[in-house]
Amino acid sequence: MPATIRTATIADTPTIFRFISELAEFEKAADQVETSVEQLELTVFGPDAVVDTLICEEDGNPLAFALWYYTFSTWQGRPGIYLEDLYVTPAARGRGIGTMVLKHLANFALENGYGRFEWSVLDWNTPAIRTYDATGAKPQSEWIRYRLSGDELESFARR
């Protein structure tokens, strides 16, 4: 049976947490994972959730997950989606699973009239960059992404 994509459910939370942990380890940031299964149940599937997530599986075996949230372009006057995480298990890499998930989300964006589908990638993740380049996506080199978190966020907010 070929791989299929479905909307994740709260029952998938332990798998999603495992995938997040594996992704953080791959990105050399395992020590930065602060969430838990219980926290994800609340924030991903709770009544105030602002993200959506999917699972790609084969014969009931999870191969990948994606988690995204909604953005808005004032220039387009339309919403878009920002792919926060896409993770494919090591055993499933090289089979087109990542491309399948990206295509699924691109179609989701089109079907909903969204104007943009965006994501970020670490500059050393060459296999992912090759996949993204093959989609026709363009890196946004003229934009510099900024982040406030942790102590810096608290310090700035309290000034």
Side-chain angles (χ1 to χ4, degrees), residues 44-141:
V44 175
F45 299 104
D48 297 323
V50 295
V51 299
D52 282 322
T53 188
L54 62 78
I55 297 286
C56 180
E57 61 188 2
E58 189 173 63
D59 297 324
N61 180 38
L63 305 175
F65 98 107
L67 185 141
W68 66 96
Y69 57 87
Y70 299 88
T71 61
F72 189 82
S73 167
T74 55
W75 291 2
Q76 292 180 327
R78 296 192 296 168
I81 58 174
Y82 185 88
L83 178 61
E84 178 65 22
D85 283 329
L86 169 58
Y87 177 74
V88 178
T89 59
R93 292 180 190 152
R95 295 179 42 202
I97 299 297
T99 300
M100 179 182 170
V101 171
L102 290 169
K103 190 171 283 201
H104 178 87
L105 289 171
N107 279 294
F108 173 81
L110 287 175
E111 290 164 6
N112 287 284
Y114 298 160
R116 293 181 179 167
F117 172 26
E118 301 175 296
W119 60 88
S120 298
V121 62
L122 291 167
D123 61 4
W124 54 260
N125 192 346
T126 307
I129 291 169
R130 277 195 303 266
T131 297
Y132 300 149
D133 286 344
T135 70
K138 305 286 184 245
Q140 300 297 297
S141 59

Side-chain angles (χ1 to χ4, degrees), residues 5-43:
I5 294 175
R6 64 173 174 79
T7 301
T9 68
I10 197 166
D12 294 307
T13 310
T15 299
I16 293 168
F17 178 74
R18 178 172 54 87
F19 283 171
I20 289 169
S21 298
E22 290 175 14
L23 176 60
E25 187 174 322
F26 173 77
E27 293 183 349
K28 301 170 182 61
D31 61 324
Q32 295 178 37
V33 176
E34 298 177 12
T35 195
S36 64
V37 170
E38 296 77 21
Q39 180 70 22
L40 291 170
E41 287 176 347
L42 180 65
T43 56

Side-chain angles (χ1 to χ4, degrees), residues 130-152:
R130 277 195 303 266
T131 297
Y132 300 149
D133 286 344
T135 70
K138 305 286 184 245
Q140 300 297 297
S141 59
E142 69 272 14
W143 293 92
I144 299 173
R145 187 171 178 180
Y146 281 83
R147 175 182 295 162
L148 277 173
S149 63
D151 292 341
E152 293 86 5

